[in-house]
Amino acid sequence: MISSNLPALQVVLPLLGAVLAALVRRGPIAWLIALVVSWTMPAIAFALLRQVLTEPDGVVSYALGGWTPPLGIEYRVDLVSAYILILVSVMGALVISYAPRSVASEIAPERQAWFYTMYLLCMAGLLGIAITGDAFNAFVFLEVSSLSTYVLIALGHDSRAVLSAYQYLIVGTIGATFYVLGVGLLYVMTGSLNLADIAGRIGDIENIRPLLAALAFITVGISLKVALFPVHLWLPNAYAFAPSVVTAFLASTATKVALYLLLLSVAAMIVASVVAVFQANIKRMLAYSSVAQIGYITLGIALITQTGLTGGIVHIFNHAVMKATLFMAVGCIVFRTGVVRIEDLAGIGRRMPLTMGAFVIAGLGLIGVPGTVGFVSKYFLVAGALEKGWWWLAAIIVISSLIAVVYVGRVIEVAWFREPTAAIKDAGKPPLEMLAFTCILAAAIVVLGFDTELTAGIAARAAEVLLAGMT
Amino acid sequence: MSADSLIVLALLLPTAGAGLIAMTGRNPNLRETVTIVTSLALFATVMGVLTAVLSGAEPRTTPVEIFAGVEFGFSVEPLGMIFAVVASGLWIANSIYSIGYMRGNDEPRQTSFYVCFAIAIAATIGVAFAANLFTLFLFYEILTLSTYPLVAHKANAGAMAGGRIYLLMLLGTSMALLLPAIIWTGIVAGTLDFIPGGILDGKLGSTALGLLLALYIFGIGKAAVMPVHYWLPAAMVAPTPVSALLHAVAVVKAGVFTVLKVIVYVFGIDLLSATGASEWLVFVAAFSLLMASLVALTRNNLKARLAYSTVSQLAYVVLGAALATQAAIIGSGMQIVMHATGKITLFFCAGAIAVATRKTEISDMVGIGRRMPVTMFAFLIGSLSIIGLPPFGGTWSKWWLGIGAVDAGHAWVVAVLMVSSLLNVAYLLPIVARGYFLPPPEAKSGEPVAVTEAPAACVIPLCITAALCIVLFFAAGEVEALLAQMGMVAPTDITATLAKGEPDGP
C-alpha cells in the first residue's frame, strides 16, 4: 500500500508537515516536525530509486487520483528524477539538521515556526518539480517553491531582506510568466501537457518555429528563476528543475538548439566566474560561482553525448555537495562573527580552522582538483568535449576553473594569511552541530571524489536512458 | 612487513607526522622531535622498499577504480624508487636545517610550517610511487597546494605576491594543460597506467604526438621549462628551507620526474625516436638551459641566482627526456639525484649566510669565506658538482647526457652542455673566489677576521650534503645500475636492446 503510493507521499508529506508546523506556532516543535519530515524524504527517495531499478522499463509511473495519463497528472520517476529526488531530499535533510541555531540567531522567535513552514513548502515544491511528469503541474510546484522562498528571504531580520524579497518576487513572476507562455505554446502545438506524451508527439510537427519559441520562453523563464535564487539559501532549487527540463529538452529539439544552450553555458561559465572574482560579499561571490557552475551542467546537456551528459548530470550532484559545504561554512562564520565581507574575514582561518578547512576543500572542489568531486565532473565534461573534437570547449572549461582559482584563492589568502582583526579574534567556536554537518559534507566531497559508484555510476545510467529516449 | 604494505606505510608516516606535529605545536622541542623521528622512520621505510626493488621485486598496491579508465594505485619502478630515496633522505637533512634556520631567524607560525612540510613530503612520495597518471596528478596537485602556504609563509606583501604567482602558475598550468593532456591520453589509449614501452604506440599521428607532448611539458609547470619557469624565481621569497624543498627535495624534482615518467612510460622512447615527436623539445630545452644560465649571471640576489641556475639544471633533465635514448634517460635520472644534492647544499649555504650575517646580495658577500670558511667550502663543493667536475656527482649526469645526445644524433648538444658548464663556472665560482680571496670591507687591514658560522643545526646538514656530492661520484654505478633496470621498452624487446649493446657505466 505505502510502497505503491511513494511518489505521492514524496510531495504530500512535506505539504502536510508545512501545515502542521504552521499550526503549532512554536519554533522548536516546528523544527522537530521539519526535521522528521526532512529525514523521511531521503528514505522515500531511496525506496523510489530501488523501485526504478527493479522496474523492467526503468520508469515508475503514478497516476494521481487514479486519472490515467495523459489526461490526469502523472508522477513519473525514472533514473534521472530519482537521482534528483535523492539529491534534493538529502541536502534538505542535512540543511535542516544544521539550521536551528543559525535560524534562531537570525529570525525572531515568533516567526521561526513560519520559517520551518516555508522551508517544508519549498521542499514540497522542489520535490514536486522533480517528480511530476506534467508541464503545468511543474509550473504549480515552481510557484509553490518560489513563493515560499520569497517568504524565507523576507523573514531575515535585516530590513533590506524585505526589499530583496520584493525584487525576487517581481523578477520571479516575470520568469514564471515566461514559463507559462512556453507551456501554453507547447500545449497548442501538441495538444498535451504530459511531458512524455509531448515528447512522443513533437516528432510529427512540421513547423518547428513555435516549438523553438516555446523552448525559448521556458528556458528564459527557468533561467530567471534559477539564476536569482542561489543568492539567499542553501536549498538546491536549481537542480530540481533539471530532470523535467533535461527530459523535455532532449526529447524535443535537442540537436537544433544545442548550440544556443552551449553558447549560453559558455557565457555563464566565463562571465559569472569573472563577476564572482570582483564581489566583496562572500555570499554574493558564491552565488555568482553557482551561476557559472550551472553553466557546467547545461554544457554537459548541450553536448548530447554519453560522456558529456554523464558529466552534466554528475555535476548536478557534485555541485550541490560543494556549494552546500561552502554556504554552511559561511553560515558558521556569519553565526559567530556576522561578517560577510571578504576583506573583513582576515585571519578567520586561524580562529576557525575546521570551518575554513571545509571551505578550502569545497573551494578546491570548485577548481576541480583531483581527489574531490569537482574533478570527476570536470573529467567527464572535458572528455565529452574532446571526444567531439571541440578543443576550444575543453579550453574554455579549464579556463573557467582557473578563474575559480582566483576567487577561491582570494578568500583563502585573506582568511589564513592576514592577521586577525579584533572582531575575528573574539569570535567563539561555531556550534558543534553546525560544524559537524559542515565537516560531514566536506568529507563527502573527498570520499565521493574517490568512490563514484553512487554519483557517476547512476549519472552514466541516467544518461544512457535519456539518450536512448532520443532515438 | 611486505614491500607492498611498506608503500602504504611510506605515505601514511609523513601524513601521521603532520597530524602529530599539529598536536604537539605548543611544545617546540617535542614538535621538532616528531619531525626528525618521522623523517628517519620514512627514510627507513623507503630503504625497505629499495631493498625489495633491488632484489627484483616490483611492489604494488591493488588499484582502486574511481570510474571507468581512472584508477588510484601505487607501484614502484626504478626511477620512482630513486626519487623517493632522494626526497626522503634529503628531508632528514632539511629537517635538521629547518630547526636551525627557523629558530635562528625567529620565524612566526613554525607549527604550520612543519605541518605543511610533512604533507609536502607525503605528496612527494605519492608522486614517486604513483602507478598511473591520475594518481600522479592527484599528488602533484597536493604538492602544489601544501607548498603554497610555505612560499607565502612570511605573509608580507612580497610573500603574498610570490605565493600568488606560485599558486596560479602551478595550478594554472596543471589544470589548463596537464589535465586535458591526461584526459586526451585516457581517451586515445584507454588506460592511464604507466607501462614500460608506453601506451600510445600506434594511437596517434606524429603531429598529434608532438602536440600532446607540448601539453604535457608546459602543463607540468614544476619542471620549469621556459616560459613557465617564472614561478620559481618568484618563490624565492620563501624561507630558505622551503627553497631547498622546492629546488632540491620535492617540487621541481617532482616536475622533471613527471616529465621523465611521461616520456618513458606513456609515450615510450621507441615511439618518440621513431616519430621524432620530441625533436622540438630538444631545442626548447637547450634554449631554456642556456638562457637561464645567462639570466643567472645577471642576478645579484644569491637565491635568485640559484633559482635561475635551477631552471637551467632542470632543462638538462628535460633535454635528456627529449633525446629519448636509453643513455640520455639514465643521464636525466642521474641529474635528478646529482642536482638535488648539489643544489640543496648551495641553498643551505645561502640560508646559513642569511642567518649568520643577514646578507642576501652577492655584492655584499665579499670576504664571506673568511667569516664562514666551512659554509663557503661546502658552497664550493656544491658549485663544482653543479658544474660537473670530477670528483663530484654532477660529473656523471653530464657524461650520460652527452652519450645520449650522440646516440640520438644530436652531437651539437654536447657543445651546449659544455658552454653551459662554462656559464655555471662564471656565475657560481666568483662568489667563492671573492669570498675567500678578498678581505671583507668592514675588516681592518692585516687583522684576521673572526669566524662567525651559523648555528650548528644549519652547518652540519650542509656539510653532510656536500659530502654526499663526493660520495655520489663513487656511488654513481649503483644509481646507474638501478636506472638501467627501468622498463624503457616493452618487455618483449628487452633482449633485442641488450643484443645491440649499451655503453658501459662508470
Side-chain angles (χ1 to χ4, degrees), chain B residues 10 34 60 68 102 105 113 192 217 256 276 292 299 319 339 383 390 426 437 496 498:
Chain B
V34 172
R60 56 177 59 247
M102 298 302 277
N105 264 0
F113 173 89
L192 293 175
I217 296 296
V256 287
R299 289 294 180 271
L319 182 72
H339 174 249
S383 303
F437 299 139
L498 289 178

Side-chain angles (χ1 to χ4, degrees), chain B residues 87-289:
Chain B
S88 60
L90 291 184
W91 188 36
I92 303 175
N94 207 346
S95 301
I96 301 170
Y97 182 84
S98 299
I99 296 168
Y101 182 91
M102 298 302 277
R103 293 191 174 183
N105 264 0
D106 210 8
E107 295 271 346
R109 297 188 304 286
Q110 296 193 12
T111 302
S112 65
F113 173 89
Y114 289 111
V115 170
C116 291
F117 225 103
I119 296 173
I121 294 298
T124 310
I125 299 294
V127 168
F129 289 161
N132 52 51
L133 277 170
F134 168 75
T135 315
L136 193 149
F137 185 51
L138 171 71
F139 286 102
Y140 180 96
E141 296 294 37
I142 295 177
L143 184 55
T144 306
L145 297 167
S146 59
T147 45
Y148 161 69
L150 294 173
V151 171
H153 182 79
K154 285 180 183 147
N156 53 26
M160 296 315 304
R164 267 180 222 159
I165 293 173
Y166 181 81
L167 189 67
L168 274 178
M169 281 203 74
L170 287 188
L171 211 53
T173 50
S174 68
M175 292 307 287
L177 304 172
L178 182 55
L179 178 61
I182 292 174
I183 296 176
W184 190 8
T185 307
I187 291 175
V188 294
T191 176
L192 293 175
D193 286 347
F194 293 125
I195 291 172
I199 53 177
L200 288 169
D201 194 12
K203 304 275 171 58
L204 283 175
S206 60
T207 321
L209 274 179
L211 197 66
L212 181 60
L213 182 64
L215 281 179
Y216 273 115
I217 296 296
F218 296 112
I220 302 168
K222 291 199 175 93
V225 176
M226 281 184 170
V228 286
H229 68 287
Y230 188 65
W231 61 272
L232 194 49
M236 67 172 192
V237 293
T240 303
V242 176
S243 303
L245 175 82
L246 297 182
H247 288 258
V249 183
V251 178
V252 297
K253 290 300 175 306
V256 287
F257 169 78
T258 308
V259 169
L260 273 181
K261 274 281 237 201
V262 166
I263 296 266
V264 176
Y265 294 108
V266 174
F267 285 89
I269 56 174
D270 283 350
L271 177 66
L272 285 179
S273 50
T275 56
S278 63
E279 288 285 297
W280 64 271
L281 186 56
V282 177
F283 295 93
V284 169
F287 172 81
S288 191
L289 199 156

Side-chain angles (χ1 to χ4, degrees), chain B residues 36-115:
Chain B
I36 301 285
V37 169
T38 313
S39 65
L40 289 171
L42 175 66
F43 188 65
T45 311
V46 171
M47 288 320 265
V49 182
L50 178 67
T51 318
V53 170
L54 285 179
S55 64
E58 283 181 16
R60 56 177 59 247
T61 62
T62 320
V64 180
E65 186 175 68
I66 309 288
F67 44 85
V70 175
E71 289 178 342
F72 178 78
F74 302 95
S75 73
V76 183
E77 45 72 55
L79 188 62
M81 193 63 245
I82 289 176
F83 181 39
V85 170
V86 170
S88 60
L90 291 184
W91 188 36
I92 303 175
N94 207 346
S95 301
I96 301 170
Y97 182 84
S98 299
I99 296 168
Y101 182 91
M102 298 302 277
R103 293 191 174 183
N105 264 0
D106 210 8
E107 295 271 346
R109 297 188 304 286
Q110 296 193 12
T111 302
S112 65
F113 173 89
Y114 289 111
V115 170

Side-chain angles (χ1 to χ4, degrees), chain A residues 4-23:
Chain A
S4 61
N5 284 318
L6 281 179
L9 287 176
Q10 182 90 78
V11 181
V12 172
L13 273 185
L15 274 178
L16 288 178
V19 176
L20 211 57
L23 287 177

